[in-house]
Amino acid sequence: MTPQRVPLLASLVVLLAAACTTATDHDGAAPTTATAPGATAAATTPATTPAAPTSGAPVEGAWRATYGWAVPATPARVTHEVRVPVTPAPGEPLPVLVEVRVGDHPAEGFSRITFAFRGPTPSYQVGYVPQVFTEGRGAPVELPGTAYLSVRFDPAQAHDARGAGTADVPPSRIGYPTLRGWAAAGDFEGHLSFGLGLRPPAGGPLPVRLGESTRPDGTHVVAVDVRRG
C-alpha cells in the first residue's frame, strides 16, 4: 500500500462509522439498544395540510399517515376493529406490545416514537393533556418538558400470562429538541397508555402526526411524530 492511500482509507472508515451510528430502521426509529442522542439541527420542513383521522388496516410493508400534521384540539382517534380473543386460548387474547423505539429526523424536521404490536393493530388515541395520569389508580406520571401528550391503545396489553412485561423499550429520557421523554402510564383491563413529555420552543403545543406500518415479520407499528421546532 502506498503512503498516499492511507489518508483516503482512514477517511472512508470514519465516514462508515458515522453512518452506522446514525442509522434508523424502516420505521424511522432507532433500535431499542441505541441511546437517543441530543440533536442540534433546527426544523426546516414546513407543516403539511392537516388531515382528519382515518380508520382501516395498514398496508403491509408501507408506512401511511393516519392523522396529518396538526395540533389536535380534541384527542385524535384512529379506530381498528379487533375481534377478541385475537388467538384461541391459551394464546394471547389481545394485541401485545413487543417494542418501543425512538428516532430523530433533523433533515425532515421531526422526532418519532413507535409502538410495535404482535397481533392486529389496536385502536389508538393521541391528545394533549395538562397532566398524564396512570390507568386505574389515577396517579400523576412524571415527565420532562412543559407540554404532555397522552397516547392510549385499546384493546392492547404489554404483559404475558404471568404478568411479566413483553416489550423491549428505550431509556425514558429521550433528549431530542422537543420530544424529551416518555413513560408508561398503565396496562389495565385492555387499555394500554403512555405519556410523552414535550418542550415546545415557543411554549405552545406542537403539531403531531400519526402513522402505521407493517414489518416483514408481521409486526404492526404505530408511529407518533412530533415537530422538532
Side-chain angles (χ1 to χ4, degrees), residues 30-217:
T32 54
T33 53
T35 302
T40 57
T44 56
T45 305
T48 58
T49 302
T54 61
S55 62
V59 178
E60 184 171 356
W63 185 92
R64 70 183 186 101
T66 55
Y67 181 82
W69 287 114
V71 176
T74 59
R77 182 170 177 83
V78 179
T79 302
H80 292 283
E81 297 296 330
V82 177
R83 292 187 176 183
V84 178
V86 297
T87 55
E92 296 156 337
L94 305 176
V96 175
L97 182 74
V98 295
E99 189 176 58
V100 178
R101 293 187 182 183
V102 296
D104 200 25
H105 300 262
E108 290 125 320
F110 70 89
S111 300
R112 171 173 291 181
I113 183 168
T114 62
F115 302 86
F117 291 88
R118 180 171 61 243
T121 307
S123 298
Y124 50 95
Q125 179 174 297
V126 178
Y128 279 98
V129 293
Q131 173 77 59
V132 176
F133 294 96
T134 59
E135 297 281 351
R137 291 189 305 157
V141 176
E142 183 178 350
L143 290 163
T146 57
Y148 310 103
L149 279 175
S150 171
V151 182
R152 304 184 68 191
F153 299 93
D154 66 276
Q157 64 186 53
H159 63 274
D160 59 21
R162 298 174 296 175
T166 55
D168 293 327
V169 299
S172 59
R173 294 279 175 167
I174 299 174
Y176 294 150
T178 56
L179 181 57
R180 306 299 294 176
W182 74 283
D187 182 3
F188 183 73
E189 295 184 349
H191 295 274
L192 184 61
S193 62
F194 301 89
L196 304 184
L198 313 181
R199 184 174 294 164
L206 288 161
V208 300
R209 178 178 65 177
L210 309 179
E212 300 176 6
S213 65
T214 303
R215 294 176 181 167
D217 64 0

Side-chain angles (χ1 to χ4, degrees), residues 3-21:
Q4 289 80 4
R5 293 182 180 177
V6 173
L8 176 60
L9 289 176
S11 299
L12 289 174
V13 170
V14 171
L15 288 174
L16 287 173
C20 291
T21 58

